[in-house]
Amino acid sequence: MESLTTRINDHNSTIKSISSTITSMGLDKVGRSTAGVFVTPAVWALDYSVNGNSPDSIDWSLYIAGLSNPLVGFATSVTGIFKSIVDDDTNAKLREIQAGEQMPYAKFIKACYHYAPSPAQINAMTIANHGGTAWQHENGLWVYITDAKNRMVHDFLPRSAVVVYQPKIPFERDQHGNFLWRTRK
Amino acid sequence: MTSVGIFMRAIIILLILTNAACSPQPENNGFDQVCSVFEQVAQEAKAFTDVRELGYQVREIVDTTMESDDPARQAWYAIANAPVGEQYELFQLAARSTLEQDWSCQIMADMLDK
């Protein structure tokens, strides 16, 4: 949940438009008692139809909490709404980053938020530690890149980055098999 | 007040309550635990000439004392392989991104940034 809290803070300006978003999604018409059950799957369906994304682990935990406890349900549905808006904002920023990179590579750029439950910046460090390239774009989003088989790419040079984390060349590995890495600004 | 207005107010109140309940507590967070590990290691060995060796010793203690999904533990795993001289600053950035407040550990700064 820490990661979600961080994400909400990271996307504060987008969250401020929540009223219109909730209204536009038709969620103000959803009955409160059923909101916990129906809202999040609706968000998933929307996300899937627009972006092709399937529910991630946070979605599932929110949905299960909402199903099993009616009191928690409403709170989790609210959190689900916020998460969906943050996801939308993340996806918009990701599309901006992908649009700025060369086409063969662009579609393999992903948001660090989805790598692991830790905050994105820690995930970015972990990705470099695992032999990949992660960077913070000027729009604030932390991203990383894989190849078509989901393997880490160690030497990608993003066109626009505030800071890049990637393995040190020549490679050096620690006793746990992880890579020594460097920062580049 | 319309039902939409009531709904929106309920959302704002619930968000505040949920956010407060989920906010990390400043006491006993994982980053402070890592700081304590440095204090422990510093007491056991007065001087380290190899910062990487220090990092591995800290990791051994962190492995046995902290939850595997603790962001501080994840941060230390990654930062132990970051450039010497930048590790403390990176760990601070990781702490700030998690705790959403300033964080410092003098013993860690002294031992890592020499």
Side-chain angles (χ1 to χ4, degrees):
Chain A
M1 193 60 78
E2 284 174 352
S3 180
L4 180 57
T5 307
T6 306
R7 291 179 64 182
I8 287 170
N9 285 342
D10 286 352
H11 299 267
N12 192 40
S13 59
T14 307
I15 297 292
K16 286 175 181 169
S17 66
I18 188 168
S19 304
S20 60
T21 306
I22 287 175
T23 305
S24 68
M25 289 169 71
L27 299 179
D28 54 319
K29 305 291 192 302
V30 177
R32 292 185 194 187
S33 61
T34 57
V37 176
F38 289 116
V39 169
T40 308
V43 167
W44 294 350
L46 183 68
D47 196 29
Y48 182 77
S49 63
V50 175
N51 304 306
N53 293 332
S54 298
D56 60 24
S57 57
I58 297 173
D59 286 317
W60 280 113
S61 61
L62 290 172
Y63 184 51
I64 290 166
L67 279 177
S68 60
N69 184 338
L71 292 175
V72 175
F74 187 62
T76 54
S77 72
V78 171
T79 311
I81 293 168
F82 274 76
K83 181 182 180 299
S84 72
I85 294 168
V86 172
D87 281 346
D88 285 348
D89 192 42
T90 299
N91 289 333
K93 287 179 175 173
L94 183 59
R95 282 193 294 273
E96 179 192 349
I97 295 168
Q98 289 170 329
E101 295 291 345
Q102 295 176 55
M103 270 317 292
Y105 307 111
K107 64 180 177 181
F108 299 113
I109 296 172
K110 301 161 185 176
C112 289
Y113 286 122
H114 301 304
Y115 184 76
S118 293
Q121 188 166 15
I122 296 177
N123 287 344
M125 296 171 183
T126 301
I127 287 162
N129 199 40
H130 290 170
T133 299
W135 68 98
Q136 186 180 34
H137 188 266
E138 287 168 0
N139 68 15
L141 191 68
W142 283 95
V143 292
Y144 69 106
I145 187 167
T146 66
D147 67 8
K149 292 184 177 175
N150 219 30
R151 294 176 299 207
M152 293 295 175
V153 176
H154 71 271
D155 57 353
F156 185 73
L157 297 174
R159 286 180 170 171
S160 172
V162 177
V163 62
V164 181
Y165 299 157
Q166 62 188 170
K168 190 176 150 190
I169 303 293
F171 291 135
E172 282 184 61
R173 305 183 83 160
D174 68 13
Q175 59 195 30
H176 302 284
N178 294 315
F179 294 84
L180 304 196
W181 52 277
R182 60 183 179 146
T183 61
R184 204 158 47 80
K185 294 180 180 174
Chain B
M1 187 181 296
T2 65
S3 59
V4 173
I6 294 169
F7 183 74
M8 289 307 304
R9 280 171 185 256
I11 282 179
I12 291 166
I13 291 166
L14 272 169
L15 180 75
I16 292 167
L17 292 174
T18 305
N19 197 37
C22 295
S23 294
Q25 299 303 307
E27 299 86 13
N28 300 321
N29 66 67
F31 294 90
D32 288 341
Q33 283 185 52
V34 174
C35 184
S36 299
V37 171
F38 269 84
E39 288 169 356
Q40 183 182 332
V41 171
Q43 284 176 354
E44 291 169 0
K46 295 293 179 194
F48 274 92
T49 52
D50 185 348
V51 175
R52 298 253 174 245
E53 180 59 29
L54 164 68
Y56 299 145
Q57 289 206 23
V58 170
R59 176 167 176 156
E60 281 183 17
I61 300 172
V62 164
D63 276 348
T64 56
T65 57
M66 295 176 68
E67 296 290 331
S68 60
D69 60 351
D70 192 313
R73 176 169 157 166
Q74 297 302 321
W76 179 252
Y77 282 2
I79 286 162
N81 280 340
V84 172
E86 294 180 40
Q87 292 176 333
Y88 177 68
E89 183 186 352
L90 287 165
F91 197 74
Q92 262 194 319
L93 290 171
R96 285 175 188 155
S97 73
T98 305
L99 304 173
E100 297 160 19
Q101 63 184 29
D102 280 344
W103 181 90
S104 63
C105 173
Q106 191 56 51
I107 187 75
M108 198 172 177
D110 293 342
M111 294 178 81
L112 289 178
D113 286 348
K114 57 188 179 183

